[in-house]
Amino acid sequence: MDTLKVRVDQKKLERAAYVLKCVAHPVRISIIDLLEQRDRLTVSQLQEVLQIEQSLLSHHLTNMRDKGVLDTQREGKNVYYFLTSSTITDILGCINGCKKF
């Protein structure tokens, strides 16, 4: 019998678990999906699509920004949110393509 071993580097596993915990919420997954479609959006634009209270949306955005999933860019009065990496969108593609979900 072949010897089993962990095939993923421990640091990668820890980072993956950290990011997955951060995005493990339907609203946060929706935010990622929207930002994948448009690259960057304001809170108002996100709120218009998601139809949730601004305070709740801000809570999710702050959490995702604190964890390094999102970042912001200010242009005049507008603050735009964007994904720091497209890697997380690969996971969404897998979820969307999976028939069991």
Side-chain angles (χ1 to χ4, degrees):
M1 182 174 165
D2 292 332
T3 304
L4 290 175
K5 64 179 182 174
V6 177
R7 298 182 292 177
V8 182
D9 177 70
Q10 186 65 31
K11 292 260 187 223
K12 280 187 178 182
L13 288 173
E14 289 171 9
R15 176 68 182 153
Y18 182 78
V19 170
L20 289 171
K21 282 184 208 175
C22 171
V23 299
H25 189 283
V27 170
R28 294 179 187 171
I29 293 171
S30 296
I31 291 168
I32 291 168
D33 183 42
L34 294 170
L35 289 172
E36 179 187 26
Q37 294 175 54
R38 286 283 170 93
D39 290 331
R40 62 186 203 144
L41 293 166
T42 64
V43 173
S44 298
Q45 292 169 319
L46 288 164
Q47 185 181 9
E48 185 179 323
V49 176
L50 296 172
Q51 295 292 301
I52 61 173
E53 289 187 29
Q54 190 268 330
S55 60
L56 179 60
L57 177 57
S58 290
H59 168 76
H60 287 296
L61 291 170
T62 299
N63 187 293
M64 294 170 75
R65 184 177 179 195
D66 290 348
K67 299 286 195 294
V69 174
L70 303 179
D71 206 350
T72 58
Q73 179 182 15
R74 180 176 287 281
E75 284 184 18
K77 293 181 179 181
N78 292 321
V79 176
Y80 290 91
Y81 284 84
F82 60 91
L83 295 170
T84 58
S85 170
S86 61
T87 305
I88 192 72
T89 60
D90 294 341
I91 295 169
L92 293 182
C94 290
I95 292 169
N96 198 32
C98 184
K99 293 179 181 172
K100 298 233 177 193
F101 282 111

